[in-house]
Amino acid sequence: MNELGKRINKLRIERGMTLVELAGNKMTKGMLSMIENGRANPSMESLKFIARQLGCDPHYLLENHTSDELKYLFSQVEEAFEKNNDEQIINLTKDMLDQQLPTSFESARILEITGRTIFKSDQKKGEMLIERAIAIYEQLSLFSHCVAAKVHIVKNRAKDGNYHDALRLLRSVRKEYHEKATVIDIVVEVEANYVEVVILFGVGDYKAGRSKLNELIELSRRKGIFYKMDDIFRIAAFQALLRNNENDYAYFIKKSEQFAVFSENDESLTFTLLLQAHYHNQISKDYEQALFYLGEFATLVKGELGSDYYYLEKGKALLGKGQVEEALKEFEQFKMPNTTSYPLELSILYTADAYRANCLLQLGRVKEALIYAARAASNIGSLPQTPYRDFIKNTLDLVNKNLQ
């Protein structure tokens, strides 16, 4: 008899209930007996039903009556995680990771959070800790938590460039847990769908990506879920931009902005402003409008501009206005971020070298231009076909032509 079964059995006897009375019309007496004796784990839906019958909270049944010390550690780790304090998480958990932990939600969550943190520096160890957490979630039939943890592993594999491997793993995870669980938490479902959309676009399967994106938008609307809607609509806007569909772009970018404002998510709003600048540099060729949105971005981030998209887009706007030397100064401040993972993002960022080459070419510094144009072409060579790839190729051809 495991801890969950013991707790159900103890409460049932304390309340003077028979197996038949506790099973009601939702379960069989045999299944309930197997659960009490540790030979079967209830689904989350069955667990909630049992808890209602016993008059207790489902979390009480799942708790392994962990020590006050472990519960306190759990609260500290969660707080550090919310504050993105990786150093504190490592310090809090470093002496317990090799211990045998009780089968409880607190143990699993501590392992998962620590695994996510360690993953950033040691992928193998981080993934091992997350898998330990998943094993505990499995024992507690917390399948939504299993999916959420697995999706994190998927995202990290994609960041390593293993897009097809990540996509196969994600689809395998979703199939496995949809067979095990009656219902997966809708927020977890949205996150999994969102990751699949991004990876599909990453491998260049734009048709499947758009189809999945439309499904995701419809799912969110149908369920009345606002989670990640600013990100979802921004991706939709970007896809419309790639297809030169200005009506769809205007609709989706407005929706993304509205959700970012509604959720008071300034970080999301900054991405929307950068995409607006990108649109005017790429499509409308209204460089003054691009500079306007970049000014809005600079105001929102209070001058902390970063070193990537802002300088790339500002350089493009100035180059578009014919201010070549000023544009070159902006491109020279651009630095490739080390957090970017998906091919479409990389494709945009790799154009920085091509734009820099373009400036140098116009200034008569052809040999220097070749260095940057060739580097851009080399970087983007393995990425899917996009207008950015075409631009880089055309730039290299133009520089080579001027060398002849």
mmCIF file with all atom_site columns, all heavy atoms in Angstrom, residues 73 132 165 180 231 238 321 323 371:
data_model
loop_
_atom_site.group_PDB
_atom_site.id
_atom_site.type_symbol
_atom_site.label_atom_id
_atom_site.label_alt_id
_atom_site.label_comp_id
_atom_site.label_asym_id
_atom_site.label_entity_id
_atom_site.label_seq_id
_atom_site.pdbx_PDB_ins_code
_atom_site.Cartn_x
_atom_site.Cartn_y
_atom_site.Cartn_z
_atom_site.occupancy
_atom_site.B_iso_or_equiv
_atom_site.pdbx_formal_charge
_atom_site.auth_seq_id
_atom_site.auth_comp_id
_atom_site.auth_asym_id
_atom_site.auth_atom_id
_atom_site.pdbx_PDB_model_num
ATOM 1  N N   . LEU A 1 73  ? 11.675 24.773 2.329   1.00 0.00 ? 73  LEU A N   1
ATOM 2  C CA  . LEU A 1 73  ? 12.598 24.836 1.200   1.00 0.00 ? 73  LEU A CA  1
ATOM 3  C C   . LEU A 1 73  ? 11.836 25.029 -0.101  1.00 0.00 ? 73  LEU A C   1
ATOM 4  O O   . LEU A 1 73  ? 12.230 25.831 -0.958  1.00 0.00 ? 73  LEU A O   1
ATOM 5  C CB  . LEU A 1 73  ? 13.431 23.563 1.139   1.00 0.00 ? 73  LEU A CB  1
ATOM 6  C CG  . LEU A 1 73  ? 14.386 23.427 -0.058  1.00 0.00 ? 73  LEU A CG  1
ATOM 7  C CD1 . LEU A 1 73  ? 15.426 24.544 -0.055  1.00 0.00 ? 73  LEU A CD1 1
ATOM 8  C CD2 . LEU A 1 73  ? 15.066 22.061 -0.054  1.00 0.00 ? 73  LEU A CD2 1
ATOM 9  N N   . ARG A 1 132 ? 13.777 13.145 -13.090 1.00 0.00 ? 132 ARG A N   1
ATOM 10 C CA  . ARG A 1 132 ? 13.447 12.669 -11.740 1.00 0.00 ? 132 ARG A CA  1
ATOM 11 C C   . ARG A 1 132 ? 12.138 13.295 -11.254 1.00 0.00 ? 132 ARG A C   1
ATOM 12 O O   . ARG A 1 132 ? 11.302 12.627 -10.633 1.00 0.00 ? 132 ARG A O   1
ATOM 13 C CB  . ARG A 1 132 ? 14.572 13.014 -10.760 1.00 0.00 ? 132 ARG A CB  1
ATOM 14 C CG  . ARG A 1 132 ? 15.765 12.081 -10.799 1.00 0.00 ? 132 ARG A CG  1
ATOM 15 C CD  . ARG A 1 132 ? 16.847 12.509 -9.822  1.00 0.00 ? 132 ARG A CD  1
ATOM 16 N NE  . ARG A 1 132 ? 16.384 12.461 -8.431  1.00 0.00 ? 132 ARG A NE  1
ATOM 17 C CZ  . ARG A 1 132 ? 17.073 12.973 -7.410  1.00 0.00 ? 132 ARG A CZ  1
ATOM 18 N NH1 . ARG A 1 132 ? 18.239 13.579 -7.624  1.00 0.00 ? 132 ARG A NH1 1
ATOM 19 N NH2 . ARG A 1 132 ? 16.593 12.883 -6.181  1.00 0.00 ? 132 ARG A NH2 1
ATOM 20 N N   . ASP A 1 165 ? 14.404 16.781 -33.958 1.00 0.00 ? 165 ASP A N   1
ATOM 21 C CA  . ASP A 1 165 ? 14.388 15.936 -32.755 1.00 0.00 ? 165 ASP A CA  1
ATOM 22 C C   . ASP A 1 165 ? 13.411 16.505 -31.727 1.00 0.00 ? 165 ASP A C   1
ATOM 23 O O   . ASP A 1 165 ? 12.636 15.774 -31.107 1.00 0.00 ? 165 ASP A O   1
ATOM 24 C CB  . ASP A 1 165 ? 15.796 15.860 -32.163 1.00 0.00 ? 165 ASP A CB  1
ATOM 25 C CG  . ASP A 1 165 ? 15.827 15.076 -30.855 1.00 0.00 ? 165 ASP A CG  1
ATOM 26 O OD1 . ASP A 1 165 ? 15.326 13.932 -30.837 1.00 0.00 ? 165 ASP A OD1 1
ATOM 27 O OD2 . ASP A 1 165 ? 16.338 15.595 -29.844 1.00 0.00 ? 165 ASP A OD2 1
ATOM 28 N N   . LYS A 1 180 ? -2.828 8.914  -21.330 1.00 0.00 ? 180 LYS A N   1
ATOM 29 C CA  . LYS A 1 180 ? -2.837 8.644  -19.889 1.00 0.00 ? 180 LYS A CA  1
ATOM 30 C C   . LYS A 1 180 ? -3.845 9.498  -19.132 1.00 0.00 ? 180 LYS A C   1
ATOM 31 O O   . LYS A 1 180 ? -4.420 9.063  -18.134 1.00 0.00 ? 180 LYS A O   1
ATOM 32 C CB  . LYS A 1 180 ? -1.437 8.916  -19.298 1.00 0.00 ? 180 LYS A CB  1
ATOM 33 C CG  . LYS A 1 180 ? -0.386 7.905  -19.676 1.00 0.00 ? 180 LYS A CG  1
ATOM 34 C CD  . LYS A 1 180 ? 0.934  8.255  -19.009 1.00 0.00 ? 180 LYS A CD  1
ATOM 35 C CE  . LYS A 1 180 ? 1.999  7.212  -19.332 1.00 0.00 ? 180 LYS A CE  1
ATOM 36 N NZ  . LYS A 1 180 ? 3.301  7.534  -18.697 1.00 0.00 ? 180 LYS A NZ  1
ATOM 37 N N   . ASP A 1 231 ? 2.126  36.869 -27.446 1.00 0.00 ? 231 ASP A N   1
ATOM 38 C CA  . ASP A 1 231 ? 3.148  36.168 -28.230 1.00 0.00 ? 231 ASP A CA  1
ATOM 39 C C   . ASP A 1 231 ? 2.536  35.484 -29.457 1.00 0.00 ? 231 ASP A C   1
ATOM 40 O O   . ASP A 1 231 ? 3.108  35.509 -30.549 1.00 0.00 ? 231 ASP A O   1
ATOM 41 C CB  . ASP A 1 231 ? 3.843  35.102 -27.375 1.00 0.00 ? 231 ASP A CB  1
ATOM 42 C CG  . ASP A 1 231 ? 4.646  35.706 -26.237 1.00 0.00 ? 231 ASP A CG  1
ATOM 43 O OD1 . ASP A 1 231 ? 5.166  36.822 -26.409 1.00 0.00 ? 231 ASP A OD1 1
ATOM 44 O OD2 . ASP A 1 231 ? 4.728  35.068 -25.171 1.00 0.00 ? 231 ASP A OD2 1
ATOM 45 N N   . PHE A 1 238 ? 3.945  38.319 -37.647 1.00 0.00 ? 238 PHE A N   1
ATOM 46 C CA  . PHE A 1 238 ? 5.208  38.126 -38.350 1.00 0.00 ? 238 PHE A CA  1
ATOM 47 C C   . PHE A 1 238 ? 5.027  37.241 -39.576 1.00 0.00 ? 238 PHE A C   1
ATOM 48 O O   . PHE A 1 238 ? 5.591  37.502 -40.643 1.00 0.00 ? 238 PHE A O   1
ATOM 49 C CB  . PHE A 1 238 ? 6.240  37.515 -37.399 1.00 0.00 ? 238 PHE A CB  1
ATOM 50 C CG  . PHE A 1 238 ? 7.591  37.331 -38.016 1.00 0.00 ? 238 PHE A CG  1
ATOM 51 C CD1 . PHE A 1 238 ? 8.331  38.429 -38.444 1.00 0.00 ? 238 PHE A CD1 1
ATOM 52 C CD2 . PHE A 1 238 ? 8.120  36.066 -38.196 1.00 0.00 ? 238 PHE A CD2 1
ATOM 53 C CE1 . PHE A 1 238 ? 9.577  38.262 -39.022 1.00 0.00 ? 238 PHE A CE1 1
ATOM 54 C CE2 . PHE A 1 238 ? 9.369  35.888 -38.774 1.00 0.00 ? 238 PHE A CE2 1
ATOM 55 C CZ  . PHE A 1 238 ? 10.089 36.993 -39.189 1.00 0.00 ? 238 PHE A CZ  1
ATOM 56 N N   . LYS A 1 321 ? 17.157 55.878 -45.313 1.00 0.00 ? 321 LYS A N   1
ATOM 57 C CA  . LYS A 1 321 ? 17.074 57.340 -45.513 1.00 0.00 ? 321 LYS A CA  1
ATOM 58 C C   . LYS A 1 321 ? 18.315 57.894 -46.210 1.00 0.00 ? 321 LYS A C   1
ATOM 59 O O   . LYS A 1 321 ? 18.413 59.099 -46.441 1.00 0.00 ? 321 LYS A O   1
ATOM 60 C CB  . LYS A 1 321 ? 16.902 58.033 -44.170 1.00 0.00 ? 321 LYS A CB  1
ATOM 61 C CG  . LYS A 1 321 ? 15.568 57.753 -43.496 1.00 0.00 ? 321 LYS A CG  1
ATOM 62 C CD  . LYS A 1 321 ? 15.466 58.479 -42.161 1.00 0.00 ? 321 LYS A CD  1
ATOM 63 C CE  . LYS A 1 321 ? 15.416 59.978 -42.382 1.00 0.00 ? 321 LYS A CE  1
ATOM 64 N NZ  . LYS A 1 321 ? 15.272 60.737 -41.128 1.00 0.00 ? 321 LYS A NZ  1
ATOM 65 N N   . GLN A 1 323 ? 21.409 57.788 -44.989 1.00 0.00 ? 323 GLN A N   1
ATOM 66 C CA  . GLN A 1 323 ? 22.409 58.231 -44.018 1.00 0.00 ? 323 GLN A CA  1
ATOM 67 C C   . GLN A 1 323 ? 23.384 57.068 -43.740 1.00 0.00 ? 323 GLN A C   1
ATOM 68 O O   . GLN A 1 323 ? 23.333 56.419 -42.706 1.00 0.00 ? 323 GLN A O   1
ATOM 69 C CB  . GLN A 1 323 ? 21.731 58.706 -42.731 1.00 0.00 ? 323 GLN A CB  1
ATOM 70 C CG  . GLN A 1 323 ? 20.802 59.898 -42.962 1.00 0.00 ? 323 GLN A CG  1
ATOM 71 C CD  . GLN A 1 323 ? 19.971 60.259 -41.735 1.00 0.00 ? 323 GLN A CD  1
ATOM 72 O OE1 . GLN A 1 323 ? 18.776 60.527 -41.843 1.00 0.00 ? 323 GLN A OE1 1
ATOM 73 N NE2 . GLN A 1 323 ? 20.572 60.260 -40.561 1.00 0.00 ? 323 GLN A NE2 1
ATOM 74 N N   . ILE A 1 371 ? 34.112 40.723 -46.285 1.00 0.00 ? 371 ILE A N   1
ATOM 75 C CA  . ILE A 1 371 ? 34.270 39.967 -45.041 1.00 0.00 ? 371 ILE A CA  1
ATOM 76 C C   . ILE A 1 371 ? 32.914 39.757 -44.375 1.00 0.00 ? 371 ILE A C   1
ATOM 77 O O   . ILE A 1 371 ? 32.550 38.641 -43.981 1.00 0.00 ? 371 ILE A O   1
ATOM 78 C CB  . ILE A 1 371 ? 35.232 40.692 -44.075 1.00 0.00 ? 371 ILE A CB  1
ATOM 79 C CG1 . ILE A 1 371 ? 36.650 40.721 -44.659 1.00 0.00 ? 371 ILE A CG1 1
ATOM 80 C CG2 . ILE A 1 371 ? 35.216 40.026 -42.694 1.00 0.00 ? 371 ILE A CG2 1
ATOM 81 C CD1 . ILE A 1 371 ? 37.616 41.601 -43.878 1.00 0.00 ? 371 ILE A CD1 1
#
